Amino acid sequence: MRAHPSRKYRPFQPIDLPNRRWPSKTISHAPIWLSTDLRDGNQALIEPMDAERKLKMFHQLVKIGFKEIEVAFPSASQTDFDFVRKLIEEDLIPDDVTIQVLTQSRDELIRRTFESLRGARRAIVHLYNPTAPLFRRVVYGKDKAGIVDIAVNGARLFRQCAAEQPETDWRFEYSPETFTMTELDFAKEICEAVMDVWAPTPERPVILNLPATVEVATPNVYADQIEWMHRNLSRRDSVVLSLHPHNDRGTGVVAAELAVMAGADRVEGCLFGNGERTGNVCLVTLGMNLYSQGIDPGLDFSDMGTIIRTAEYCTDLPVHPRHPYAGELVFTAFSGSHQDAIKKGLAAQREAEAAGNAVWQVPYLPIDPADVGRTYEAVIRVNSQSGKGGIAYLLERDCGLALPRLLQIEFSQVIQQITDATGKELTSAEIRAAFEREYIAATAPIVYVDHRAQHVAADGAVEYLSARLRIAGDEVVLNGSGNGPIDAFVHALRAGAGIDIHVLHYHEHAVGSGEDATAIAYVQLRIGDEHTAYGVGLDSNIVTATLRAVVSATNRALKYGWLLLRLAKPVAYA
């Protein structure tokens, strides 16, 4: 790169439109969509689609809901010509779909194009010729008048060829290429000259397509250009003003949206932004952007997975994992703070929906992933950047374990050690296995065997408990009393094992339902004056699950050296 790029490149001059209106506009309805995946998208492939892949893509586009589909450049190759014939002769075009084809303004190409459409019920024929100064000077060596003659001659031949096939309902489209680099007054002049030939009416309008064949300026400049044409074209009520944005500057989507605000009626593009160089505008993103604002795009992306697989098969191009709305990772959160917000947001959403409020409001998720056929399984994934919220979400979703917040914090440190050591993402199953190793399998040196409890109301509702344990391989019986089984068990451990523990928090719930339900208990102990430790217990009996949780927490405290056992003399089992 040069130290002084201004010596080689010149900035695009802004449009003189001091009273521009588009900045105050909003988009309230979807434009007319045209998919050019089978033409512009196809010609951009390293290996263009064969007939089988083109037909598969055509059927997918129809299923999505496109009513206008540019299917070929039939004068460019026999493959394209034959594909148009196949669609017509085998009656593969639905009654509500109009196919479109493209041709340059050359007599032999125009005749060949119309020949490909013989017998079609309805068709759009798209005429284009270069109009920008660079093309006039370098490619054609003609002045403006000579370029207008090329367009007008092509337009006249369009009318003639259409008249020779009156059984077809014809519509015409014209593109001054590249519009964004063409002087506005000349773009208007040549479009008006073509319209003079085609004589459009409000009932049979012409399509004037104003392509950003190459993005040469910021999106607001394209919007200014479109608004200028929208306001200055004659017979505006007889024109469908169309866009064909490319993505050379990476702003194709915003350029299209601003240009629709500026007065455009129609947008041409491709699924997932396929196209020459950096691609055409992405129709998936445009459509889903409208959907996220509560506007029906008129396109159905609810089975995004199938659409992606079809596009990847037909084009042999991958859809990027971060592609808006469609990529594998676009609804996935690894960040701990994001995961925590999403977890809370999903819980609040469920409560709102139960109360009759269906408005979607979940942090970091602009739309409900389920609306595009995605499950919630991939929303939260855990790696070294993750936090307690994501881990807790996965355990609750996949295992039914509703961890208390303090346990979420404690267990996240366990997971952090694993991910830091491996540098890899952990699956939900691996997280569950780590949880079981750390808490459920914490059965040494103290092993719970069984217990007996007695509630004596005469003693002020005191609970008496006798617990049989194995400690370091020796079976012992510890007795205690308290205001409940947990309190009684803790007193027994303090008196019989000489350990300084106190219950801080207790939480329990069922896992599963009916006869197969299991109780799970979470107990947090204070260990002396400096430490806390959680334990987890599982059992069909809630009291047993709770005692196992106390043993689990105690064993973890012993493992980390926070406690020392000082066993008293064992007593007989009561």
Side-chain angles (χ1 to χ4, degrees):
M1 295 178 64
R2 293 172 175 259
H4 303 285
S6 62
R7 296 175 184 174
K8 187 172 184 178
Y9 301 103
R10 295 291 182 269
F12 192 86
Q13 295 303 306
I15 306 303
D16 184 18
L17 193 68
N19 59 339
R20 58 183 59 83
R21 301 165 189 164
W22 63 260
S24 62
K25 302 288 186 181
T26 57
I27 301 174
S28 59
H29 62 278
I32 300 167
W33 305 108
L34 174 114
S35 161
T36 187
D37 289 88
L38 294 169
R39 198 280 301 171
D40 202 346
N42 186 53
Q43 74 183 37
L45 301 177
I46 298 173
E47 293 185 7
M49 290 179 255
D50 57 19
E52 184 268 333
R53 291 175 186 248
K54 288 196 77 168
L55 187 59
K56 187 175 182 68
M57 177 66 84
F58 179 77
H59 288 318
Q60 181 67 72
L61 295 170
V62 169
K63 186 175 181 180
I64 291 170
F66 288 100
K67 303 305 180 186
E68 297 182 2
I69 302 173
E70 192 168 54
V71 296
F73 197 146
S75 64
S77 72
Q78 189 64 42
T79 300
D80 270 19
F81 185 94
D82 291 343
F83 181 69
V84 178
R85 298 308 309 152
K86 180 179 180 69
L87 292 176
I88 296 170
E89 292 171 1
E90 298 183 15
D91 196 22
L92 298 174
I93 307 167
D95 291 341
D96 61 346
V97 172
T98 301
I99 62 170
Q100 175 173 306
V101 294
L102 178 74
T103 179
Q104 292 172 305
S105 188
R106 290 166 51 188
D107 288 6
E108 69 278 13
L109 302 183
I110 292 172
R111 294 185 185 279
R112 176 72 168 165
T113 298
F114 274 86
E115 180 61 28
S116 75
L117 292 166
R118 188 169 297 278
R121 287 189 296 268
R122 184 171 57 253
I124 301 169
V125 192
H126 183 183
L127 175 71
Y128 80 96
N129 65 287
T131 58
L134 180 63
F135 287 86
R136 299 197 305 258
R137 184 179 73 251
V138 175
V139 179
Y140 284 86
K142 292 181 178 291
D143 59 11
K144 291 180 179 180
I147 297 297
V148 172
D149 285 343
I150 293 174
V152 169
N153 290 336
R156 288 174 179 154
L157 187 54
F158 263 46
R159 292 200 64 167
Q160 178 185 327
C161 290
E164 294 169 357
Q165 300 181 44
E167 71 278 7
T168 299
D169 179 9
W170 297 105
R171 293 176 60 199
F172 297 155
E173 176 175 346
Y174 175 68
S175 290
E177 188 205 25
T178 174
F179 165 75
T180 48
M181 298 172 65
T182 302
E183 307 94 323
L184 283 175
D185 56 351
F186 182 56
K188 176 180 179 294
E189 176 188 341
I190 199 166
C191 287
E192 298 279 8
V194 170
M195 283 199 291
D196 288 342
V197 175
W198 287 344
T201 65
E203 295 72 30
R204 298 193 64 79
V206 67
I207 301 170
L208 290 182
N209 189 53
L210 305 178
T213 313
V214 179
E215 274 198 310
V216 294
T218 51
N220 60 297
V221 174
Y222 187 47
D224 282 349
Q225 292 171 318
I226 297 301
E227 182 170 328
W228 190 94
M229 293 290 284
H230 169 64
R231 289 161 57 178
N232 287 282
L233 279 170
S234 68
R235 293 167 284 190
R236 179 63 181 90
D237 61 349
S238 301
V239 171
V240 174
L241 200 59
S242 181
L243 310 171
H244 186 105
H246 277 251
N247 200 43
D248 301 85
R249 293 171 57 93
T251 57
V253 167
V254 66
E257 291 180 329
L258 298 187
V260 168
M261 291 161 60
D265 309 301
R266 181 176 184 263
V267 178
E268 299 186 351
C270 290
L271 298 179
F272 309 115
N274 182 35
E276 295 280 14
R277 304 179 310 280
T278 58
N280 293 331
V281 70
C282 175
L283 298 184
V284 174
T285 304
L286 285 175
M288 291 306 302
N289 280 355
L290 290 178
Y291 183 80
S292 72
Q293 301 302 301
I295 300 170
D296 182 3
L299 301 173
D300 184 3
F301 296 114
S302 58
D303 190 4
M304 192 70 79
T306 296
I307 297 170
I308 290 171
R309 288 190 295 273
T310 300
E312 291 183 332
Y313 169 75
C314 293
T315 65
D316 200 27
L317 293 174
V319 173
H320 196 280
R322 298 293 183 186
H323 192 288
Y325 302 105
E328 179 187 357
L329 297 177
V330 296
F331 299 115
T332 299
F334 290 101
S335 162
S337 59
H338 290 201
Q339 291 174 344
D340 186 60
I342 290 171
K343 176 179 180 290
K344 293 173 180 174
L346 289 173
Q349 185 69 26
R350 287 192 292 268
E351 293 178 1
E353 290 174 356
N357 180 11
V359 176
W360 181 258
Q361 292 182 311
V362 176
Y364 299 111
L365 296 180
I367 67 164
D368 185 350
D371 289 352
V372 289
R374 297 293 177 83
T375 68
Y376 293 108
E377 292 180 3
V379 170
I380 290 177
R381 290 161 63 174
V382 172
N383 62 13
S384 62
Q385 302 300 307
S386 305
K388 62 184 185 303
I391 297 164
Y393 174 84
L394 292 178
L395 285 175
E396 182 170 2
R397 186 195 68 193
D398 298 337
C399 309
L401 304 180
L403 273 60
R405 180 174 176 80
L406 294 176
L407 177 54
Q408 295 175 26
I409 296 171
E410 182 181 289
F411 182 54
S412 69
Q413 297 169 0
V414 175
I415 294 298
Q416 187 74 45
Q417 292 174 359
I418 297 173
T419 54
D420 282 345
T422 63
K424 296 180 179 180
E425 177 189 353
L426 292 185
T427 66
S428 178
E430 289 169 332
I431 294 170
R432 170 62 188 259
F435 183 80
E436 290 186 350
R437 286 194 306 271
E438 182 68 24
Y439 296 98
I440 308 298
T443 58
I446 302 174
V447 179
Y448 168 86
V449 179
D450 61 17
H451 77 278
R452 293 177 185 176
Q454 182 181 11
H455 182 74
V456 182
D459 288 349
V462 172
E463 190 90 14
Y464 291 93
L465 183 136
S466 181
R468 183 163 52 167
L469 310 173
R470 278 198 302 273
I471 301 179
D474 295 326
E475 187 169 298
V476 299
V477 175
L478 302 181
N479 296 311
S481 62
N483 57 17
I486 303 177
D487 190 41
F489 188 46
V490 167
H491 277 94
L493 287 171
R494 284 207 298 264
I499 53 179
D500 185 13
I501 58 174
H502 302 267
V503 174
L504 291 179
H505 295 99
Y506 165 72
H507 177 71
E508 54 87 8
H509 65 83
V511 179
S513 60
E515 295 179 355
D516 296 328
T518 298
I520 185 166
Y522 311 94
V523 173
Q524 187 190 39
L525 300 181
R526 176 167 60 83
I527 315 299
D529 295 326
E530 299 181 7
H531 302 287
T532 62
Y534 256 101
V536 180
L538 279 166
D539 199 89
S540 58
N541 180 281
I542 184 56
V543 173
T544 303
T546 303
L547 301 187
R548 290 184 183 277
V550 173
V551 170
S552 167
T554 304
N555 282 330
R556 294 183 66 244
L558 291 166
K559 169 186 172 182
Y560 295 128
W562 301 337
L563 282 175
L564 292 176
L565 282 172
R566 293 186 296 274
L567 286 174
K569 182 179 179 180
V571 297
Y573 190 49

